[in-house]
């Protein structure tokens, strides 16, 4: 018997908040990133993590994967990685004959819940192309049959600092990721001290074992996500606001958006895509649900706006090397300038 | 009747005494002084003053006033000179009535107040068997000198002329200034608090504008949405960007004058979210009334009232 909707929403919310609390036990100073990843899980979106080396990206992903339940697979991005390395691998069996086995993408089959692509920008575009297809379609044909991956979410990370032997992820590929979440070193001095001196942070593997496993039922997330998305309503005012935000990414000058260091008209080549805006609203609805509301507020959009939009923007090439900084400033200016309710209507 | 007789006797007695007094002056029966009029004031008489006396006589026939023995005009007696004498005569069968006007002028040069007198005069009667006369008694008065004794040169008696001291009004002027200032400040304050118009400086704040606009809106659902928009615009304008509920703490730290309304502001954002985004039906009329009160309070905060 299916429980009433209110109970479902409430129960799942409790699970979601528990997941956050479990991860926070082992990952400190990343509350916002944890909340965003939680949103991505319930919005069924793939996540690109961006940050330096040794900031805890892998531990974070492993902890979350443990909470979600299901199978967790991982692959390292290298310059010689080929698409077939994701699908199968060959080896010599005990009988001395060559054998072929399923690769990390297929090994767990439908039980795959988290696929972690470490340093995705080190992989070649061919690998990107395969991953993008799987991410979009969630199935792949191999060994003369179709593998379905309905519960899989991809968590990838990239190191923005190091540029040698890396391949920039094209805008179309970035657009497949629901969010790009920055993982930054905590600024709080006490947290930093704890990270340095608390011995529990020395062994990441042991750390993740402290996280309770299977907090969520990974194979029910898709169904619940659909229920959640149908449940959260948006008013005409908010829909107008979302449209204004979208248009402001395409024609910032029209909305009076200004930046200190660059001319916005020359900065933006292409604004957010329709898929991106759809994902934005999807993630915002999850945020509203986590805040125990059944209506979308502007704050829900703000909570995910930068992480949903920044990596989708295509800047003119002269600004690409300052992308991280400019994207942050641009999205901040948009939220600060585009009014809700729209001033034109109010005046 | 007896009483009447007694009264008549008393009256006759008094007349007899009166006649006796006059007779004392004239001491004759053939002539009598009817009246003597002396100057009204017997003091403060100064040099050059003219004093007049009038004496009215009745002389029985055949006597008459002797014209040759009348006092002489120009005769000076003790610094009082007879400057004019005129006689008016009214005759009947038995008596002649004389009205004698005497004018004296004082020429005394004494330097101290002193008693002078209009001299006693004697009017002789002729025409009868006896030499009779009527005596007019002297009339004394106080003479007041014009200048003190011993004044030789005017310069010695001159005093420096001082400008009269003005009453000091500075304290009153100060008070007037202070109270006028207080009055003006008070009036400006009242105008500042109560006026909606923008003809004073600092009156065109974001919430002042919003309050003005809110007053013109209809009290229905459309008006409610519009009112919320105006309020948000005012908050955004003051904040320098879009203001949402999760940034209220930053807003209040930037604008401490609004801290006292923090609960009301939070409630406004919640109501706004409910109305604009949750689409929960609210009592528009009540909400508009609340917004009017809030916008007015925020306007006062904005003006620092």
């Amino acid at each position: 018997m299916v429980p009433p909707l209110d109970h479902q929403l409430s129960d799942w919310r409790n699970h979601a908040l528990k997941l956050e609390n479990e991860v926070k036990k082992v990952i400190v100073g990343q509350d916002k990133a944890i909340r965003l990843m939680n949103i991505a899980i319930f919005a069924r979106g793939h996540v690109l993590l961006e940050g330096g080396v040794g900031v805890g990206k892998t531990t974070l992903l492993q902890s979350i994967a443990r909470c979600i339940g299901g199978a967790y697979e991982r692959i390292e991005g290298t310059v010689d990685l080929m698409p077939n390395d994701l699908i199968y691998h060959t080896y010599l069996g005990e009988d001395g004959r060559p054998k072929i086995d399923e690769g990390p993408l297929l090994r767990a089959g439908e039980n795959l819940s988290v696929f972690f692509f470490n340093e995705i920008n080190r992989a070649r575009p061919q690998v990107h192309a395969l991953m993008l297809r799987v991410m979009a379609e969630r199935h792949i044909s191999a060994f003369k049959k179709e593998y379905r991956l309905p519960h899989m979410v991809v968590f990838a990370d990239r190191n923005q600092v190091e540029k040698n032997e890396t391949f920039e992820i094209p805008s179309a590929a970035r657009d497949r990721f629901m969010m790009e979440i920055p993982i930054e070193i905590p600024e709080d001095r006490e947290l930093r001290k704890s990270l340095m001196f608390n011995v529990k942070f020395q062994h990441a593997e042991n750390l993740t074992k402290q996280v309770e496993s299977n907090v969520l039922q990974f194979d029910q997330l898709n169904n619940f996500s659909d229920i959640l998305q149908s449940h959260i309503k948006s008013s005409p005012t908010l829909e107008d606001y979302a449209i204004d935000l979208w248009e402001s990414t395409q024609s910032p000058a029209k909305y009076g958006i200004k930046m200190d260091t660059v001319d916005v008209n020359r900065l933006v080549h292409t604004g957010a895509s329709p898929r991106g805006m759809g994902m934005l609203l999807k993630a915002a609805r999850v945020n509203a649900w986590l805040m125990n509301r059944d209506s979308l507020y502007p704050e829900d959009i703000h909570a995910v706006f930068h992480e949903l939009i920044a990596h989708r923007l295509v800047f003119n090439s002269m600004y690409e090397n300052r992308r991280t900084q400019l994207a942050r400033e641009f999205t901040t200016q948009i939220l600060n300038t585009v009014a809700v309710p729209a001033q034109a209507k109010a005046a | 009747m007896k009483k009447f007789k007694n009264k008549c006797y008393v009256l006759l007695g008094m007349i007899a005494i009166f006649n006796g007094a006059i007779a004392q002056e004239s001491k004759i029966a053939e002539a009598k002084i009817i009246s003597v009029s002396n100057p009204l004031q017997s003091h403060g008489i100064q040099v050059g003053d003219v004093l007049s006396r009038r004496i009215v006589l009745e002389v029985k026939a055949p006597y008459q006033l002797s014209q040759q023995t009348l006092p002489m005009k120009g005769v000076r007696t003790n610094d009082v000179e007879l400057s004019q004498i005129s006689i008016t005569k009214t005759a009947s069968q038995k008596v002649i009535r004389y009205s004698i006007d005497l004018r004296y002028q004082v020429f005394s040069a004494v330097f101290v107040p002193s008693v002078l007198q209009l001299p006693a005069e004697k009017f002789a009667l002729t025409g009868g068997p006896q030499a009779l006369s009527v005596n007019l008694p002297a009339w004394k008065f106080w003479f007041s000198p014009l200048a003190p004794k011993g004044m030789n040169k005017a310069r010695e008696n001159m005093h420096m002329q001082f400008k009269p001291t003005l009453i000091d009004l500075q304290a009153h002027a100060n008070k007037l200034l202070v109270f006028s200032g207080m009055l003006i400040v008070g009036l400006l304050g009242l105008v500042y608090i109560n006026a909606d118009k923008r003809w004073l400086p600092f009156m065109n704040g974001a919430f002042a504008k919003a309050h003005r606009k809110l007053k013109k809106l209809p009290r229905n659902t459309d008006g409610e949405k519009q009112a919320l928009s105006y309020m948000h615009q005012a908050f955004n304008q003051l904040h320098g960007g879009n203001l949402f509920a999760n940034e209220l703490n930053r807003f209040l730290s930037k604008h401490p004058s609004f801290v006292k309304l923090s609960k009301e502001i939070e409630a406004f954002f919640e109501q706004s979210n409910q109305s604009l985004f949750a689409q929960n039906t609210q009592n528009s009329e009540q909400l508009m009334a609340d917004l009017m009160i809030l916008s007015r309070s925020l306007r006062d905060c904005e003006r620092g009232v």
Side-chain angles (χ1 to χ4, degrees):
Chain A
M1 181 180 160
V2 180
L5 179 62
D6 287 350
H7 286 193
Q8 284 190 63
L9 292 167
S10 172
D11 289 345
W12 276 99
R13 186 182 305 111
N14 291 337
H15 290 313
L17 296 177
K18 187 177 179 184
L19 179 144
E20 280 185 21
N21 291 331
E22 286 293 318
V23 178
K24 281 178 191 173
K25 285 197 304 194
V26 295
I27 305 290
V28 294
Q30 301 293 350
D31 292 1
K32 189 178 180 194
I34 294 168
R35 166 54 62 100
L36 288 168
M37 292 195 73
N38 204 7
I39 290 171
I41 290 164
F42 281 92
R44 310 309 294 144
H46 309 294
V47 174
L48 188 59
L49 295 181
E50 183 255 315
V53 179
V55 292
K57 295 190 294 287
T58 310
T59 310
L60 172 64
L61 289 177
Q62 285 175 339
S63 303
I64 286 178
R66 189 174 165 85
C67 279
I68 294 174
Y72 165 78
E73 293 290 346
R74 169 178 178 166
I75 194 164
E76 308 300 320
T78 56
V79 70
D80 58 350
L81 185 74
M82 297 304 289
N84 54 337
D85 294 327
L86 298 174
I87 307 296
Y88 65 89
H89 70 97
T90 56
Y91 62 100
L92 287 174
E94 292 174 354
D95 55 0
R97 299 182 66 180
K99 293 195 173 180
I100 299 176
D101 214 347
E102 291 157 332
L105 202 54
L106 307 181
R107 193 179 298 139
E110 290 194 7
N111 286 333
L112 181 64
S113 63
V114 174
F115 186 83
F116 177 33
F117 203 136
N118 197 20
E119 296 203 73
I120 191 172
N121 55 335
R122 289 194 181 279
R124 289 175 174 278
Q126 299 95 315
V127 181
H128 294 162
L130 174 71
M131 276 309 299
L132 297 178
R133 181 181 160 191
V134 176
M135 284 161 66
E137 298 175 1
R138 286 198 164 96
H139 66 82
I140 189 168
S141 296
F143 304 114
K144 296 182 182 174
K145 67 173 183 178
E146 186 174 277
Y147 286 82
R148 293 184 62 250
L149 308 166
H151 310 299
M152 179 196 71
V153 288
V154 175
F155 293 148
D157 79 348
R158 61 170 170 165
N159 182 346
Q160 287 276 54
V161 180
E162 207 169 358
K163 298 291 181 188
N164 289 338
E165 292 188 343
T166 60
F167 299 90
E168 193 53 53
I169 304 172
S171 59
R174 290 199 302 266
D175 200 64
R176 302 289 169 91
F177 286 98
M178 174 178 261
M179 297 185 192
E180 183 178 44
I181 301 173
I183 305 292
E184 288 158 359
I185 301 169
E187 289 186 0
D188 186 86
R189 200 171 166 80
E190 289 303 314
L191 287 179
R192 288 186 175 200
K193 199 184 280 184
S194 175
L195 287 171
M196 284 172 69
F197 292 98
N198 193 337
V199 292
K200 86 170 184 180
F201 294 117
Q202 287 179 352
H203 301 289
E205 206 170 307
N206 293 339
L207 206 56
T208 52
K209 285 179 183 169
Q210 295 173 24
V211 176
E212 186 176 325
S213 59
N214 302 322
V215 174
L216 304 180
Q217 293 170 289
F218 77 96
D219 54 348
Q220 293 180 19
L221 281 171
N222 286 340
N223 287 338
F224 176 69
S225 178
D226 292 341
I227 293 170
L228 186 159
Q229 293 294 325
S230 311
H231 177 68
I232 304 294
K233 305 293 182 220
S234 56
S235 69
T237 308
L238 189 118
E239 287 168 5
D240 287 340
Y241 179 54
I243 291 285
D244 287 343
L245 289 176
W246 185 12
E247 289 180 358
S248 70
T249 67
Q250 297 164 330
S251 311
K254 181 180 160 190
Y255 287 82
I257 292 158
K258 291 175 183 166
M259 291 173 69
D260 293 335
T261 53
V262 295
D263 176 5
V264 284
N265 292 319
R266 300 174 70 187
L267 173 71
V268 180
H269 182 276
T270 308
S273 63
R275 176 169 51 200
M277 293 309 292
M279 285 185 177
L280 174 71
L281 271 298
K282 210 172 174 184
R285 286 189 198 102
V286 176
N287 190 69
W289 165 71
L290 286 172
M291 300 302 286
N292 201 11
R293 280 190 260 105
D294 53 10
S295 301
L296 266 181
Y297 284 5
E299 286 91 329
D300 298 320
I301 294 178
H302 299 171
V304 294
F305 187 75
H306 176 77
E307 287 75 13
L308 260 295
I309 298 301
H311 66 286
R312 293 191 156 81
L313 300 172
V314 180
F315 290 159
N316 281 317
S317 54
M318 69 178 104
Y319 298 113
E320 272 299 332
N321 57 348
R322 293 166 60 200
R323 155 171 281 282
T324 306
Q325 174 213 338
L326 292 178
R328 168 63 69 180
E329 189 183 344
F330 184 58
T331 53
T332 304
Q333 286 300 324
I334 287 176
L335 295 184
N336 208 30
T337 310
V338 179
V340 56
Q343 287 192 5
K345 288 174 185 173
Chain B
M1 192 67 187
K2 259 187 176 180
K3 283 184 180 177
F4 179 70
K5 276 185 179 174
N6 289 339
K7 285 181 181 175
C8 286
Y9 291 144
V10 171
L11 187 61
L12 286 172
M14 287 175 71
I15 293 168
I17 291 166
F18 180 70
N19 283 340
I22 292 179
Q24 206 172 11
E25 287 181 349
S26 61
K27 292 180 180 175
I28 53 173
E30 285 79 7
K32 64 178 179 181
I33 297 173
I34 302 299
S35 66
V36 176
S37 299
N38 291 318
L40 294 173
Q41 197 172 333
S42 63
H43 58 274
I45 311 299
Q46 294 178 329
V47 64
D49 283 359
V50 174
L51 303 172
S52 300
R53 296 184 87 183
R54 171 176 285 184
I55 181 169
V56 179
L57 296 174
E58 271 190 2
V59 179
K60 288 183 181 173
Y63 288 97
Q64 60 182 348
L65 191 64
S66 169
Q67 296 294 323
Q68 284 74 31
T69 58
L70 288 172
M72 293 283 288
K73 177 183 174 184
V75 174
R76 182 180 294 189
T77 310
N78 293 333
D79 296 334
V80 176
E81 182 184 302
L82 180 62
S83 60
Q84 183 76 37
I85 181 168
S86 60
I87 298 169
T88 310
K89 181 178 167 185
T90 312
S92 64
Q93 284 188 343
K94 291 183 178 178
V95 294
I96 303 169
R97 175 172 288 206
Y98 295 97
S99 178
I100 306 165
D101 288 309
L102 300 167
R103 290 186 69 197
Y104 299 91
Q105 192 163 17
V106 180
F107 289 105
S108 177
V110 295
F111 295 109
V112 290
S114 54
V115 176
L116 296 181
Q117 64 177 13
L118 299 185
E121 301 290 356
K122 190 174 184 177
F123 298 101
L125 301 176
T126 61
Q130 294 179 339
L132 300 176
S133 64
V134 175
N135 294 325
L136 177 66
W139 183 80
K140 294 184 177 175
F141 62 91
W142 276 95
F143 173 78
S144 300
L146 281 178
K149 186 182 179 184
M151 187 180 74
N152 296 324
K153 293 180 180 175
R155 174 169 287 187
E156 291 174 7
N157 287 304
M158 285 175 73
H159 293 279
M160 190 181 288
Q161 189 177 19
F162 291 101
K163 189 179 177 184
T165 311
L166 297 174
I167 299 169
D168 187 7
L169 295 173
Q170 192 57 44
H172 297 287
N174 288 343
K175 280 182 188 170
L176 184 66
L177 205 63
V178 168
F179 287 124
S180 302
M182 288 167 67
L183 181 68
I184 290 168
V185 169
L187 287 174
L188 282 176
L190 281 174
V191 169
Y192 202 60
I193 291 166
N194 294 301
D196 291 331
K197 303 296 178 191
R198 60 173 72 172
W199 42 265
L200 274 180
F202 312 114
M203 290 189 72
N204 201 21
F207 289 108
K209 276 192 222 169
H211 184 66
R212 269 202 305 274
K213 288 177 183 170
L214 254 64
K215 286 202 289 193
K216 296 173 189 166
L217 292 175
R219 303 288 175 103
N220 54 25
T221 314
D222 291 341
E224 172 193 325
K225 306 278 184 206
Q226 204 74 313
L228 290 168
S229 298
Y230 289 142
M231 289 294 285
H232 278 293
Q233 277 181 33
F235 274 112
N236 293 347
Q237 187 184 334
L238 198 62
H239 187 54
N242 290 334
L243 178 65
F244 295 95
N246 53 2
E247 291 174 331
L248 276 183
N249 288 337
R250 199 151 61 91
F251 172 77
L252 292 174
S253 62
K254 265 171 69 181
H255 305 281
S257 58
F258 292 88
V259 168
K260 60 185 174 186
L261 293 176
S262 58
K263 285 184 181 168
E264 288 83 351
I265 295 172
E266 277 177 34
F268 161 74
F269 274 89
E270 181 53 36
Q271 275 186 326
S272 168
N273 282 339
Q274 290 289 324
S275 174
L276 294 174
F277 307 120
Q279 294 184 296
N280 289 343
T281 311
Q282 301 193 55
N283 183 345
S284 296
E285 205 163 324
Q286 181 60 43
L287 180 61
M288 291 284 285
D290 292 344
L291 288 178
M292 286 294 296
I293 295 168
L294 179 64
S295 62
R296 190 185 166 90
S297 305
L298 291 166
R299 184 195 68 179
D300 290 344
C301 285
E302 184 179 61
R303 291 177 181 174
V305 178

